[in-house]
């Protein structure tokens, strides 16, 4: 009996947090998991970058999935369930001409698109006719933008799976569980000009007066050079598992600046203060 294969169109290192929980469940059910890789124009996200490729190889050995480059021939041979993120439109450009949809035979595959934060709002109308299903956390994500389709399925978000227990997480981040911790999701580079340095430092001072140890979290594309901004602990990552979610599980407060992670704070049930910078885009 031929095993059904589950394929993952892997463009960005950030997709690991969505795909690996699905790999784990697929393997439990006897499916073979295959990652198909293509380049990404942003170095930090590019899965073919040597450091990212090495990380992927380690995960493939741990979780038992195969890795191939997404050549036209490999894509044409796909037969099974194909997972992607945001219609596989990001990474090269948002044109379907650069998408791997062009090589996947429709009758041989079931194509499932996941969403990555708020990016879906810009590309959903472009790819909805090319996929079989789109998985959303809940109906708020589609009702707000009037994205109505029988292809919309409301199943939650796989990035919330596999977050460790608090004891493990305190050990992982080398935190003293007796302290109060505040997670600060530092502003993106494009937002940082909206706050003067002394204003950020003043926020830090107030939090420290309330006896919080400050954990400053950012992503590689928004890394911080100035030590004054790094708080008591500095975490810069964008991989599996989602370390923002892990930290939300053990912190007492979260402070953010117009971050789409607002949905993550709701899931994590952590008190949150959002200091808005971006007013044009409506967040959740």
């Amino acid at each position: 009996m031929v095993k059904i294969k589950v394929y993952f169109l892997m463009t960005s290192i950030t997709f690991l947090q969505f795909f690996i929980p699905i790999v784990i469940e697929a393997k439990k059910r006897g499916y073979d998991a295959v990652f198909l890789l293509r380049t990404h124009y942003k170095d930090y996200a590019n899965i073919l970058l040597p450091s990212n490729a090495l990380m992927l190889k380690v995960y493939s050995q741990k979780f038992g999935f195969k890795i191939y480059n997404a050549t036209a021939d490999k894509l044409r041979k796909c037969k099974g369930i194909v997972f992607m993120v945001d219609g596989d439109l990001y990474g090269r450009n948002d044109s379907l001409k650069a998408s791997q949809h062009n090589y996947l035979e429709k009758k041989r595959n079931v194509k499932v698109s996941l969403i990555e934060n708020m990016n879906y709002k810009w590309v959903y109308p472009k790819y909805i006719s090319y996929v079989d299903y789109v998985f959303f956390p809940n109906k708020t994500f589609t009702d707000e933008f009037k994205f109505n389709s029988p292809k919309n399925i409301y199943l939650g978000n796989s990035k919330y799976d596999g977050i460790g227990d608090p004891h493990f997480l305190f050990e992982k981040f080398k935190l003293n569980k007796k302290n109060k911790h505040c997670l600060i999701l530092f502003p993106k580079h494009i937002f940082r000009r909206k706050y003067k340095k002394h204003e950020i430092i003043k926020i830090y001072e107030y939090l420290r007066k309330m006896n919080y140890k400050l954990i400053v979290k950012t992503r590689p594309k928004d890394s911080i050079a100035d030590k004054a901004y790094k708080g008591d602990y500095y975490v810069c990552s964008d991989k599996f598992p989602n370390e923002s979610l892990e930290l939300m599980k053990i912190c007492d407060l979260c402070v953010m600046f117009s971050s789409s992670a607002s949905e993550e704070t709701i899931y994590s049930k952590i008190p949150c203060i959002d200091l808005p910078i971006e007013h044009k885009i409506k967040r959740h």
Side-chain angles (χ1 to χ4, degrees):
M1 182 177 178
V2 179
K3 284 187 177 181
I4 297 176
K5 287 185 170 62
V6 181
Y7 300 93
F8 299 86
L9 303 186
M10 188 69 181
T11 305
S12 171
I13 194 69
T14 63
F15 296 172
L16 285 174
Q17 62 180 315
F18 306 101
F19 289 166
I20 287 183
I22 299 174
V23 169
I24 293 170
E25 292 303 316
K27 297 291 287 184
K28 289 179 182 177
R29 289 158 173 75
Y31 294 94
D32 282 337
V34 179
F35 278 41
L36 298 172
L37 318 185
R38 72 171 170 87
T39 189
H40 194 294
Y41 70 93
K42 294 181 179 179
D43 277 347
Y44 84 90
N46 188 1
I47 196 64
L48 297 178
L49 197 71
S51 58
N52 288 339
L54 178 60
M55 183 189 305
L56 185 65
K57 183 178 180 180
V58 171
Y59 283 130
S60 71
Q61 293 170 347
K62 181 176 180 180
F63 297 107
F65 57 83
K66 296 177 182 178
I67 303 173
Y68 299 102
N69 288 329
T71 62
D73 184 57
K74 280 288 184 187
L75 290 163
R76 290 191 186 100
K77 290 179 179 179
C78 287
K79 183 180 181 181
I81 304 166
V82 183
F83 283 95
M84 65 196 74
V85 173
D86 289 320
D88 188 46
L89 295 191
Y90 287 113
R92 196 168 293 164
N93 59 51
D94 62 352
S95 168
L96 282 164
K97 292 180 181 179
S99 171
Q100 297 171 104
H101 289 289
N102 298 301
Y103 304 104
L104 292 167
E105 292 191 22
K106 188 173 182 179
K107 293 181 180 180
R108 290 162 53 94
N109 299 287
V110 176
K111 294 187 282 187
V112 180
S113 183
L114 312 177
I115 69 167
E116 184 179 34
N117 296 324
M118 294 293 288
N119 290 337
Y120 73 95
K121 67 178 290 187
W122 291 283
V123 293
Y124 176 93
K126 297 180 181 181
Y127 70 72
I128 186 61
S129 63
Y130 293 87
V131 300
D132 296 290
Y133 302 103
V134 185
F135 290 174
F136 286 98
N138 57 61
K139 283 183 64 62
T140 301
F141 285 77
T142 53
D143 291 350
E144 184 175 349
F145 306 111
K146 296 182 172 57
F147 290 160
N148 300 314
S149 170
K151 297 179 179 181
N152 297 342
I153 307 294
Y154 305 97
L155 290 179
N157 192 317
S158 54
K159 70 180 177 182
Y160 295 118
D161 294 339
I163 303 301
D165 66 79
H167 178 76
F168 166 80
L169 296 175
F170 277 113
E171 290 286 333
K172 174 180 176 178
F173 293 104
K174 296 180 173 56
L175 301 177
N176 186 341
K177 63 178 65 178
K178 294 181 181 179
N179 293 330
K180 289 201 306 180
H181 296 98
C182 176
L183 173 62
I184 298 173
L185 301 180
F186 205 75
K188 299 177 181 179
H189 278 300
I190 60 173
F191 292 163
R192 289 177 192 175
R193 65 183 182 275
K194 300 291 183 71
Y195 272 87
K196 295 181 174 62
K197 182 174 181 178
H198 72 87
E199 293 174 321
I200 297 286
I201 299 304
K202 181 62 71 174
I203 292 169
Y204 286 15
E205 289 175 357
Y206 279 124
L207 290 167
R208 285 190 168 114
K209 284 181 180 179
M210 292 186 284
N211 296 318
Y212 285 105
K213 294 291 185 180
L214 308 184
I215 304 173
V216 177
K217 169 69 171 62
T218 188
R219 296 178 294 179
K221 68 175 181 177
D222 297 310
S223 60
I224 300 171
D226 193 331
K227 289 184 179 180
Y229 287 143
K230 292 187 176 182
D232 302 302
Y233 306 90
Y234 176 59
V235 179
C236 180
S237 70
D238 201 350
K239 56 186 181 180
F240 173 82
N242 183 316
E243 294 194 318
S244 294
L245 279 171
E246 290 186 319
L247 289 165
M248 286 179 192
K249 192 165 185 177
I250 56 177
C251 287
D252 304 282
L253 176 68
C254 181
V255 175
M256 62 175 62
F257 302 80
S258 286
S259 171
S260 59
S262 54
E263 59 151 301
E264 296 174 357
T265 65
I266 293 170
Y267 175 85
S268 303
K269 299 180 181 178
I270 183 175
C272 175
I273 299 172
D274 190 0
L275 302 174
I277 296 176
E278 185 182 42
H279 297 279
K280 292 182 180 180
I281 298 178
K282 184 179 179 183
R283 298 293 179 182
H284 303 307

